[in-house]
Amino acid sequence: MNIKLISFAFLVGGLILINKHVNVNAFPTSQLKARQDPGTLGAFNIVGNSGVNAMHAVLVAPRKVVFIDKVEQNQLKRPDGVSAISSEYDLDTNTAKPLGIYTNTFCSAGSWLGNGTLVEVGGDVVNGNAYRSGVQTLRLYDTGVGDWVELEGIVPSNRWYPAMLTLPNGNVMVVGGSTAGAGKNKPEINNPTYMIYPPPSGKLVDVPLDLLTTALPYNLYPIVHVIPNSEGKTLLFMFANQMGIQYDLDAGKTLFNYPNIPGGIRSYPLTGSSVILPLSPTDNYNPTIMICGGNKDFEITSPAESSCGRLELTTANAAWEMDNFGGQGRVMPDSTILVDGSILFVNGAATGRAGFRSGKGANSIFVNEDPVFTPFLYDPFAKTYKTLAASTIPRMYHSVSTLIPDGTVLIAGSNPQPDVTLDVKYPTEYRVEIFTPPYLYTQIPRPHIISLQTTSIDNNRINVNYGQEVTMIVQIKSNGSPPSLKAAIIHHGFVTHSQNFSQRYVYLEITNFWYDSTTPDQYILTIKLPPNPTVIAPGPSYIYVFNYDSPPLSGAPVLLTQAT
C-alpha cells in the first residue's frame, strides 16, 4: 500500500495546509509495512580501519562511533605508546583515534543514562602491566569531553558478560554475568544478580534474580527489554537459554513465566539475537519480541539454529510464532532496525558457537565456522525475508552492526582468537564496512531536515519531551504531488555479542503537515512524541522522516527527557 495524502490544500499566511490531520493512527496496524525498496540488493563498501577490534560499538554522535575491544596488541596506540583498546571512529574521514581506557573491558556491556552519558560496566581481570582489572569497573563516556572516565572497583561484584538496559527513569540496569571467564557459565562463578546505576539508595547493591540461576549454563548476556505500558510501571522482558519472564522491577518480583521458545538455545555461547519489533501508537505500542538464531548443541560441528520466534509480550496466553529464519541458520547474528522499520540480519556463522579458536597456525581449530556472508532483510509486517548483496569479509565472533543516521549501516569486527592474529583463516579484523540498504538506491533526490523546534540541525542534540508535539522543517523534492510521509524515533543502542542493548524503534504521529509556499520544496511537520518512557527510554535518540517515494531523511539527534 502506497499511502497517499488527502488531495486538498488551502493557503494560510504563506503556508499551504496539505492535510491538517496526517496522523499515523489513520492507518491500521495491519497496513503498516516496511518501505518498498527499488529492486536492488544493497551494497557493501570497505571504508576504513577501526584501529581496535570492534567487539563493542556505539553511535555517540551523528558522525562518530566508539569501538571498544579487550586488552590485546592493537596497532593503534595511546599517547603513552601502549596498544589502545578503545577508539573513536569518524564517519566523515573514516579514521580512528585512540581513547583513554586503562582497565580491561573484555566482554563488558554498555547503555545510556537518560542525561545522555554513556555507561560501560565490567570486563576481565588484569592482562599485562599497562592495564588494570576491569571486572568491577564502571566507565563513563561524556560526549562533550569525548573520552572515558573510569571508576575502578565501585561495582559490588565481578561482572563478565553482563547485559545492560536503560530504564524508564533514566538509570541503567546491569544484569547477570559471571565472576570469571569461562566457555559457558558454571554455578561456582555465576552472578545471578542485577544492580542499578546510579543507585536508588545511594549505594550500589546486587539484587538476586532467580532466572539467572534457572537458566544455567546458558545465561550470559541475557536478553532484557522494557515492556511498554500506560501505567508507568517498570516491567521487563528478561530471557536466557530458552526461557523468558515478565519482571516487575518496582516490586522486585517475577509476574509470570512466558512459554519456552522452541528450537535451540539462544544465549551465549550458543548465541542468538533479539529485537523488539517497531512499536506503533495504532495498537497502543503493543510489543512483540523477536529472537533469532543460536544453536542446539555446544558441539563445534553443530549446525546453527535456523529459526526465529515472535512473541506478543502483553497478549494473554501468547505462544511463540516460529519461522525458518529465511532458510539460513546463524549463530552470533546481529539484528539492526533500519529507518523504514525493516530488520537487517547480518554477520554470524552457520556452524558452531561463540568462542576463541584453540591451537596455533595450521593446527588452529575454530569453534565457529562457515561464515554467513549474505544479510537478510526482514519485513516485520509481511513477515518475509529477502536475501541482500553479500559481503566478502567473514564476520563471526566479536562482530558488530549499527544503524548510522544517514540510513546506512556500519559493520565491523570479527576476532575469534585471544590476541591479534593476522595469518590465520579468520584473522583479527579491522576493516570497517558501510552497508547501503536497498532503500537508498533511487534516482529521487534525498530530502533533508532543516530544523527541529526552530533549532538548526547541526549534529547537536535537541531536548524534547514525552508527549510533546515538535515542529520540523524538511526539504523534499516533489514530483508534483505531496509526499507520503512517515516518522519514527530510533534509539540506536549499544552493540556487542549479537545484542543491541536498549535498541528501540517507535512510529510517531504526524499531526500536521504544511507546505511552505515561501520556499520551494519545503514542508513543515508537527510530530507527536511517545507518551511515556516505557515506550522508549530517555536519552539520545534520532527522529527520522521518510517518504515512500524517496530515500529516508538523515536522523535529527534529540535527547529525550522527562518534563520537569
Side-chain angles (χ1 to χ4, degrees):
M1 179 188 71
N2 189 9
I3 300 169
K4 296 296 182 183
L5 299 181
I6 299 172
S7 58
F8 66 82
F10 54 90
L11 186 64
V12 181
L15 301 178
I16 296 178
L17 176 61
I18 301 296
N19 181 3
K20 194 170 183 178
H21 300 288
V22 181
N23 188 322
V24 72
N25 282 329
F27 311 113
T29 304
S30 61
Q31 294 180 350
L32 289 172
K33 67 173 185 176
R35 183 186 176 279
Q36 296 298 298
D37 68 69
T40 67
L41 300 179
F44 283 88
N45 290 291
I46 300 170
V47 296
N49 184 301
S50 57
V52 304
N53 179 256
M55 183 185 300
H56 312 67
V58 56
L59 181 79
V60 297
R63 304 299 297 166
K64 294 185 187 298
V65 172
V66 164
F67 296 124
I68 306 167
D69 193 9
K70 64 181 185 294
V71 173
E72 57 182 336
Q73 298 303 308
N74 292 305
Q75 291 182 350
L76 185 68
K77 306 299 182 185
R78 298 184 324 211
D80 60 4
V82 174
S83 293
I85 62 171
S86 182
S87 67
E88 179 188 276
Y89 187 83
D90 189 307
L91 290 159
D92 291 320
T93 63
N94 289 306
T95 57
K97 71 176 185 179
L99 296 178
I101 286 182
Y102 298 88
T103 61
N104 194 356
T105 49
F106 182 35
C107 299
S108 48
S111 200
W112 292 92
L113 289 173
N115 66 7
T117 299
L118 179 64
V119 181
E120 212 262 358
V121 173
D124 205 355
V125 294
V126 63
N127 188 341
N129 294 330
Y131 283 90
R132 300 181 292 275
S133 175
V135 288
Q136 291 183 261
T137 297
L138 185 146
R139 307 168 190 87
L140 301 173
Y141 180 91
D142 187 330
T143 57
V145 176
D147 211 342
W148 294 97
V149 173
E150 297 181 281
L151 306 178
E152 298 179 48
I154 75 164
V155 178
S157 58
N158 291 6
R159 297 280 179 181
W160 187 84
Y161 276 89
M164 288 182 64
L165 180 73
T166 305
L167 297 171
N169 65 3
N171 294 344
V172 295
M173 183 181 191
V174 186
V175 186
S178 60
T179 60
K184 56 184 175 181
N185 210 355
K186 297 177 286 187
E188 58 268 28
I189 59 171
N190 189 33
N191 189 340
T193 68
Y194 64 84
M195 73 170 210
I196 308 297
Y197 178 84
S201 65
K203 180 181 179 181
L204 284 170
V205 295
D206 290 335
V207 180
L209 182 64
D210 290 343
L211 173 69
L212 297 175
T213 298
T214 307
L216 277 167
Y218 301 112
N219 67 349
L220 299 176
Y221 279 133
I223 291 167
V224 190
H225 297 277
V226 174
I227 299 174
N229 63 90
S230 58
E231 293 81 23
K233 296 180 179 179
T234 307
L235 304 178
L236 305 177
F237 172 76
M238 309 183 84
F239 178 99
N241 197 319
Q242 293 178 291
M243 57 196 73
I245 62 172
Q246 186 175 124
Y247 189 81
D248 186 331
L249 184 62
D250 301 320
K253 65 179 182 179
T254 299
L255 298 183
F256 58 85
N257 297 309
Y258 291 101
N260 283 10
I261 189 171
I265 307 301
R266 314 289 175 160
S267 300
Y268 181 90
L270 308 182
T271 307
S273 187
S274 76
V275 61
I276 291 283
L277 297 181
L279 299 169
S280 173
T282 62
D283 60 0
N284 296 315
Y285 308 102
N286 182 41
T288 297
I289 184 75
M290 188 172 188
I291 301 177
C292 297
N295 208 319
K296 292 183 174 67
D297 199 320
F298 193 72
E299 171 57 48
I300 65 174
T301 60
S302 178
E305 179 66 36
S306 57
S307 73
C308 286
R310 291 171 54 135
L311 183 69
E312 295 184 2
L313 298 181
T314 56
T315 299
N317 302 314
W320 287 97
E321 178 183 350
M322 305 301 295
D323 66 34
N324 70 351
F325 203 4
Q328 173 64 63
R330 290 181 201 249
V331 62
M332 302 174 296
D334 284 294
S335 51
T336 303
I337 309 177
L338 302 185
V339 176
D340 64 352
S342 60
I343 316 297
L344 182 73
F345 290 103
V346 68
N347 301 336
T351 307
R353 56 178 170 82
F356 289 140
R357 65 177 173 87
S358 61
K360 296 181 179 180
N363 296 320
S364 294
I365 298 174
F366 287 90
V367 301
N368 38 92
E369 279 276 10
D370 305 317
V372 182
F373 293 98
T374 54
F376 286 171
L377 188 66
Y378 179 72
D379 184 328
F381 310 106
K383 302 179 182 179
T384 56
Y385 295 88
K386 179 178 181 178
T387 302
L388 300 180
S391 173
T392 59
I393 301 176
R395 297 207 188 264
M396 297 184 288
Y397 192 42
H398 294 155
S399 299
V400 294
S401 168
T402 187
L403 178 68
I404 300 303
D406 64 5
T408 62
V409 180
L410 179 145
I411 298 170
S414 194
N415 190 25
Q417 45 259 322
D419 202 352
V420 174
T421 310
L422 304 177
D423 59 350
V424 291
K425 179 168 54 173
Y426 304 126
T428 305
E429 185 58 67
Y430 294 107
R431 288 173 291 178
V432 174
E433 290 179 291
I434 296 294
F435 179 72
T436 303
Y439 57 46
L440 293 179
Y441 283 87
T442 175
Q443 298 302 311
I444 300 174
R446 184 167 189 170
H448 66 278
I449 299 171
I450 304 298
S451 67
L452 186 69
Q453 289 295 88
T454 70
T455 301
S456 296
I457 302 300
D458 57 2
N459 292 338
N460 293 319
R461 297 170 182 165
I462 298 169
N463 287 353
V464 295
N465 297 317
Y466 292 94
Q468 180 182 2
E469 291 194 348
V470 299
T471 301
M472 177 183 290
I473 298 177
V474 299
Q475 286 188 343
I476 308 170
K477 200 76 174 177
S478 175
N479 60 4
S481 61
S484 301
L485 299 180
K486 279 202 166 301
I489 185 168
I490 304 177
H491 178 71
H492 291 228
F494 181 106
V495 187
T496 188
H497 290 76
S498 300
Q499 306 306 320
N500 190 332
F501 301 127
S502 302
Q503 179 182 214
R504 203 73 143 194
Y505 182 111
V506 183
Y507 282 103
L508 301 177
E509 301 177 52
I510 301 176
T511 57
N512 284 293
F513 180 46
W514 306 73
Y515 171 63
D516 183 354
S517 60
T518 65
T519 306
D521 303 317
Q522 186 158 290
Y523 294 83
I524 301 173
L525 293 74
T526 304
I527 299 173
K528 188 173 183 178
L529 292 167
N532 70 63
T534 71
V535 177
I536 183 170
S541 295
Y542 292 80
I543 291 177
Y544 294 84
V545 176
F546 55 100
N547 177 10
Y548 279 96
D549 298 320
S550 67
L553 294 159
S554 294
V558 297
L559 186 67
L560 189 55
T561 60
Q562 299 257 35
T564 56

